[in-house]
Amino acid sequence: MYEHLETAENRDSLKRVVVDPVSRVEGHGKVTLLLDENNKVQQARLHIVEFRGFERFIQGRPYWELPVLVQRLCGICPVSHHLAAAKAIDQLVGIDPENLPASADKLRRLLHFGQVLQSHALHFFHLSSPDLLFGFESDISKRSIVAVLSEYPEIGVQGVKLRKYGQEVIRMVSGKRIHGTGAIAGGMNKSLSKAERDYLLEDIDQMITWAEGSVALIKKVHCSNLPFYDEFATIRSNYLGLTKPDGALELYHGGIRAKNEHGETIMDHVDYCQYNNYIHEEVRSWTYMKFPYLLSLGQEQGWYRVGPLARVNNCDYIDTPLAEAARIEFKAHSGEAMVHSTLAYHWTRLIELLHCAESIKQLLNDPDIMGSDLVAQGEKRYEGVGVIEAPRGTLFHHYQVDENDIVTKANLIVSTTSNNMAMNESVRQVAAEYLSGKELTEPLLNNLEVAIRAYDPCLSCATHAVGKMPLQLELVDVDGKLIDKLVKHSDGQIERNNA
C-alpha cells in the first residue's frame, strides 16, 4: 500500500521533519518525514528509540522469578506480562492450562479482566479522548485529561473511576495496583476473602453502566465523523488473536486464529506453543522494534494487526450479552466481513471494556474465587510458552531452562511489535493523504500521533532487537575538536575514522 514511503531515494537532498517524542503513548518513539521542495512526503517512518533488552536480562535467573521480573517491562500492562510468564512457567512444572485448579484459573482471569479494563479506560479517556472530543488539530492546551475534565466533567470522571475500579480489582487479587504478585508456577498464591469480594461487588453494576455508556459515546463520535473516521489512517491487513474453541472472544487462554483482509481464515485454533511454526520476525536497521509476519504468507504479505480491532474482527461472538450486542452493532457498521478502520480500534477497545466489566461481575459471583485449591504440581519440563491477549494484543513469552532451573533462552513477541508494520503503514497513509504538499504545523503533525495512538502502543515493552541499530561514538577534546569517531553500522561492521 504505502511501502514505497519507507525509504526515499536521494535522501540527502530532502527536508527532514521530526515529531519527537510521540506523545500520550507508553514509551519513547518519534516519527520522521522526508519532504521534497514541494513539501511532498517521500519517506515516513515510526522510530522506536529506546532499548530495553529484557530477553537478555532474564537469562541466568531462576524461572520462578520471571512473573515478578518481566512485569517490570511496563507500568501500564504489568499484569499481562505477569500472567504470560506464569502460563509459561506452569508448563515448566508440568501444568498445562486445562490442569490448573479452577480457583487459580478464575482468579487469574479476574486479575486479567481488571487489567484490561483499567488499561482500556486509561487509553481511551486519558490519552485519546482529547483528540476525539476536541479535534485532531485542536489547541495543544486541549490535549489532556485535564481539559476533558474541565469541559466534559461527566465523561472525564467516569473514565478516571473506571480505571480506578480496574486497579482495585488488581489490588484485591495481587496485593498492589502496580507490580503486585499473584500468579506462581502452577497456580496462585492466594484467593479472595469474602470481604474483598464484597468490596468489589459494591461498584460493579455502576461500572457496567458506565462501560455501556462509553460504547455509546464512541459510536456517536465515530459515526458523526463519516466518512473521515472510516478512512483516516486506515489500511487493509491480516488479523491475529486468540479465540475459544467455539470461536468466542478470548482474552486469557485460547488457540491462535488469523484471518485475511477479506475475513477468510488463514489458520484457526492453532496451539500457541507451536507459534514458531507460524510466526517469524525480521529486523530493519532503523528501529529497535522487530517486524513479525505469518510464515505462510511471507515477509511482504504476512504482516498482521493484533489488539481490540483484530480480536473483535476475528471472533464469532462475545459470551457476555451487552458486549455481544455492541459487537453485532459494530460489525454492521461495515459492508465487509472485516472492519479495517484504524480509528475503530477505539470502538472495539470500549466493547472489550464492557465485556471485562460484565465478566468481572460473573466471576465475583463465582464461589471458586474464594476457594483454597490454588496450586497444582506435575513433572518438570525444560521449555514453556505462555500466550495471553494483553490490552494491546497477543503477547508471547517463551522460555527454556536448564537442569538447575535457570533460564537459558527467552523470546518475547509483544503486542506492539506485532502492530509495528501496521503502525508504520498508518503513519504513511496519513502522511501521504493528509499532510503531503502542505506547510506542516504542530497541530497538523498531531494527525500522525493520532494514527499511532489508535493502536495504544506500549513502545518500551516492544524493543529488544539487540545489535541491529547503527551506533556512532565521537571523542572530542575540551575545545570541541573531533579526535576520533567510531561507527557501528546496522550490519554489525565497525568503521573507525581517525581525525
Side-chain angles (χ1 to χ4, degrees):
M1 287 177 284
Y2 296 92
E3 298 94 331
H4 63 285
L5 294 180
E6 178 179 317
T7 303
E9 298 180 0
N10 304 316
R11 297 171 64 193
D12 292 340
S13 64
L14 299 175
K15 294 185 293 184
R16 187 168 183 260
V17 175
V18 182
V19 179
D20 186 10
V22 175
S23 62
R24 283 181 280 142
V25 298
E26 203 288 325
H28 303 284
K30 67 179 181 180
V31 174
T32 60
L33 304 177
L34 296 184
L35 313 175
D36 64 19
E37 66 276 9
N38 298 315
N39 286 333
K40 295 286 187 180
V41 176
Q42 302 298 316
Q43 178 178 299
R45 290 175 174 176
L46 168 64
H47 302 264
I48 310 306
V49 297
E50 62 180 332
F51 175 70
R52 302 294 295 279
F54 257 79
E55 292 170 320
R56 291 288 185 180
F57 293 164
I58 60 182
Q59 288 185 29
R61 307 303 304 176
Y63 72 77
W64 54 82
E65 292 183 355
L66 297 184
V68 174
L69 284 177
V70 297
Q71 63 180 337
R72 262 65 184 183
L73 271 163
C74 182
I76 304 298
C77 49
V79 170
S80 301
H81 292 289
H82 181 69
L83 290 175
K87 292 179 73 175
I89 69 170
D90 286 344
Q91 294 176 26
L92 297 179
V93 298
I95 301 301
D96 294 312
E98 59 269 19
N99 297 324
L100 204 68
S103 291
D105 178 78
K106 292 174 183 178
L107 284 163
R108 287 188 184 183
R109 290 176 182 272
L110 180 62
L111 179 62
H112 189 45
F113 287 132
Q115 157 70 13
V116 177
L117 188 150
Q118 73 86 18
S119 180
H120 281 356
L122 170 66
H123 181 263
F124 178 76
F125 291 99
H126 292 66
L127 304 183
S128 291
S129 70
D131 298 319
L132 304 174
L133 295 175
F134 299 120
F136 298 174
E137 298 172 30
S138 61
D139 187 87
I140 196 168
S141 64
K142 297 286 190 182
R143 299 183 213 152
S144 71
I145 185 63
V146 176
V148 174
L149 285 164
S150 175
E151 298 200 25
Y152 298 93
E154 186 176 356
I155 292 172
V157 168
Q158 288 179 13
V160 170
K161 289 188 174 181
L162 276 163
R163 184 183 184 226
K164 179 182 178 182
Y165 182 83
Q167 290 181 305
E168 285 297 279
V169 172
I170 294 170
R171 184 172 73 89
M172 291 296 103
V173 178
S174 68
K176 295 197 303 183
R177 294 182 182 91
I178 301 175
H179 298 154
T181 56
I184 57 177
M188 292 288 286
N189 62 11
K190 80 172 191 71
S191 59
L192 285 191
S193 67
K194 184 177 184 300
E196 291 169 333
R197 190 276 309 269
D198 292 346
Y199 167 74
L200 293 175
L201 274 173
E202 289 177 5
D203 294 324
I204 187 57
D205 287 330
Q206 181 64 74
M207 298 304 121
I208 293 173
T209 299
W210 284 345
E212 195 172 13
S214 72
V215 176
L217 170 65
I218 190 56
K219 179 189 174 186
K220 178 181 178 182
V221 169
H222 192 105
C223 294
S224 64
N225 289 278
L226 297 176
F228 177 68
Y229 266 49
D230 280 348
E231 297 171 353
F232 180 86
T234 292
I235 55 177
R236 303 181 72 86
S237 69
N238 305 305
Y239 296 92
L240 181 142
L242 301 180
T243 60
K244 293 182 178 179
D246 63 355
L249 176 73
E250 177 57 45
L251 299 179
Y252 177 72
H253 178 70
I256 299 175
R257 172 182 282 185
K259 291 185 177 182
N260 66 17
E261 63 177 279
H262 306 295
E264 298 163 343
T265 300
I266 300 170
M267 57 181 171
D268 198 12
H269 212 68
V270 167
D271 179 4
Y272 61 64
C273 291
Q274 307 301 318
Y275 78 97
N276 266 332
N277 296 330
Y278 302 92
I279 299 172
H280 284 193
E281 299 173 276
E282 65 167 316
V283 174
R284 300 184 187 179
S285 61
W286 46 270
T287 179
Y288 279 126
M289 196 153 61
K290 295 180 182 178
F291 291 82
Y293 62 93
L294 298 174
L295 185 60
S296 63
L297 298 181
Q299 293 181 11
E300 291 188 6
Q301 303 297 324
W303 58 275
Y304 55 88
R305 289 199 269 187
V306 298
L309 180 61
R311 291 188 290 247
V312 174
N313 261 332
N314 272 351
C315 75
D316 296 331
Y317 73 100
I318 300 175
D319 61 6
T320 54
L322 297 177
E324 170 61 2
R327 183 197 70 86
I328 293 171
E329 206 168 15
F330 168 76
K331 292 288 283 188
H333 174 72
S334 174
E336 298 186 73
M338 310 297 271
V339 179
H340 296 293
S341 166
T342 295
L343 291 178
Y345 263 98
H346 299 300
W347 193 342
T348 51
R349 189 169 287 118
L350 294 181
I351 291 172
E352 288 191 342
L353 183 144
L354 176 57
H355 169 63
C356 288
E358 291 182 280
S359 299
I360 287 170
K361 182 176 181 179
Q362 291 176 356
L363 285 168
L364 291 176
N365 286 296
D366 190 324
D368 281 340
I369 64 168
M370 296 183 289
S372 57
D373 183 13
L374 296 177
V375 182
Q377 295 181 335
E379 294 296 323
K380 177 180 175 178
R381 302 175 192 169
Y382 293 90
E383 189 169 16
V385 178
V387 178
I388 199 167
E389 284 294 334
R392 292 151 184 83
T394 319
L395 171 64
F396 298 79
H397 279 235
H398 182 184
Y399 310 130
Q400 294 176 359
V401 299
D402 62 18
E403 63 277 2
N404 297 313
D405 297 331
I406 300 300
V407 178
T408 58
K409 184 179 180 181
N411 184 49
L412 311 181
I413 303 179
V414 180
S415 316
T416 298
T417 307
S418 290
N419 278 334
N420 190 10
M421 184 64 180
M423 288 190 296
N424 272 279
E425 280 290 283
S426 287
V427 164
R428 292 170 193 140
Q429 194 265 13
V430 171
E433 303 296 333
Y434 300 95
L435 306 186
S436 193
K438 297 183 179 180
E439 187 67 33
L440 297 182
T441 62
E442 189 281 331
L444 197 60
L445 288 172
N446 187 52
N447 284 275
L448 296 171
E449 298 187 66
V450 170
I452 296 166
R453 275 193 289 271
Y455 291 90
D456 187 16
C458 185
L459 304 179
S460 61
C461 287
T463 54
H464 54 271
V466 65
K468 297 297 184 180
M469 281 290 283
L471 177 68
Q472 178 174 305
L473 297 176
E474 294 182 349
L475 178 65
V476 298
D477 63 18
V478 292
D479 297 319
K481 181 181 178 182
L482 181 66
I483 300 173
D484 197 6
K485 182 167 72 172
L486 192 69
V487 178
K488 177 186 176 184
H489 297 284
S490 59
D491 60 4
Q493 293 185 359
I494 305 294
E495 176 187 349
R496 167 167 258 127
N497 294 322
N498 293 315

